[in-house]
């Protein structure tokens, strides 16, 4: 006959069950936090002033005033006025073509959500910015989140942009051929009138 030795089970100390549950809750919270951190984040666009009209599409050119900042507020880039000698061909601001393969994917993703006349704050997480490899010599550290203040001045079709650029080149060539005579702020006589911005 087999003999069984009995071992008494000790009662759970007061408060141990509470500590066990707290430990389980903390383990779940840490796991959820790690899972959230591993999920790629998207851009965040805050509308400061509503724009009007359609949003830019692939192949169009957006004219902007912008300021790019790091998380600590350091400005790493901003738009500068481009002196274009013919009034009416191009709006003020810096032109950005909307096209795939851009250096900062999040920037162009954000532009596609904006409208003419609007002002925006655009937050771009590092994985949608330059990631671990910012441009050589840039004041942007690796894995930096970026923030842009953006004002959309205008949106122009690529066809209109190309046509106006051709007019500009012809005008500049004409001025060079004439020894620089004429008013650089006006289109020469006979030049086609600029198309309305689309």
């Amino acid at each position: 006959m087999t003999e069984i030795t009995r071992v008494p089970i000790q009662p759970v100390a007061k408060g141990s069950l509470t500590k066990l549950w707290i430990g389980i809750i903390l383990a779940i919270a840490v796991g959820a936090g790690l899972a959230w951190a591993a999920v790629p984040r998207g851009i965040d666009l805050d509308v400061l002033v509503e724009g009007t009209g359609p949003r830019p599409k692939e192949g169009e050119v957006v004219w902007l005033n912008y300021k790019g900042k790091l998380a600590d507020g350091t400005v790493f880039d901003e738009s500068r006025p481009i002196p274009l000698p013919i009034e009416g061909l191009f709006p003020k601001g810096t032109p950005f073509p909307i096209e795939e393969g851009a250096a900062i994917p999040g920037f162009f993703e954000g532009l596609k959500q904006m409208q003419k006349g609007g002002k925006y704050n655009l937050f771009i997480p590092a994985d949608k910015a330059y990631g671990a490899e910012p441009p050589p010599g840039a004041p942007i550290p690796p894995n930096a989140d970026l923030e842009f203040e953006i004002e959309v001045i205008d949106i122009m079709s690529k066809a209109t942009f190309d046509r106006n650029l051709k007019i500009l080149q012809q005008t500049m060539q004409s001025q060079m051929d004439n020894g620089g005579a004429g008013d650089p702020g006006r289109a020469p006589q006979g030049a086609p009138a600029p198309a309305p911005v689309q």
Side-chain angles (χ1 to χ4, degrees), residues 97-115:
I98 303 291
E99 50 191 41
E100 289 299 319
I104 307 176
F107 189 80
F108 290 88
E109 187 180 322
L111 287 182
K112 291 179 191 177
Q113 299 177 38
M114 299 180 185
Q115 294 173 291

Side-chain angles (χ1 to χ4, degrees), residues 163-179:
R163 187 185 69 89
N164 290 358
L165 186 59
K166 187 174 182 178
I167 292 170
L168 175 63
Q169 290 168 339
Q170 290 171 348
T171 302
M172 292 177 73
Q173 184 62 43
S174 173
Q175 289 176 357
M176 289 174 58
D177 292 345
N178 293 330

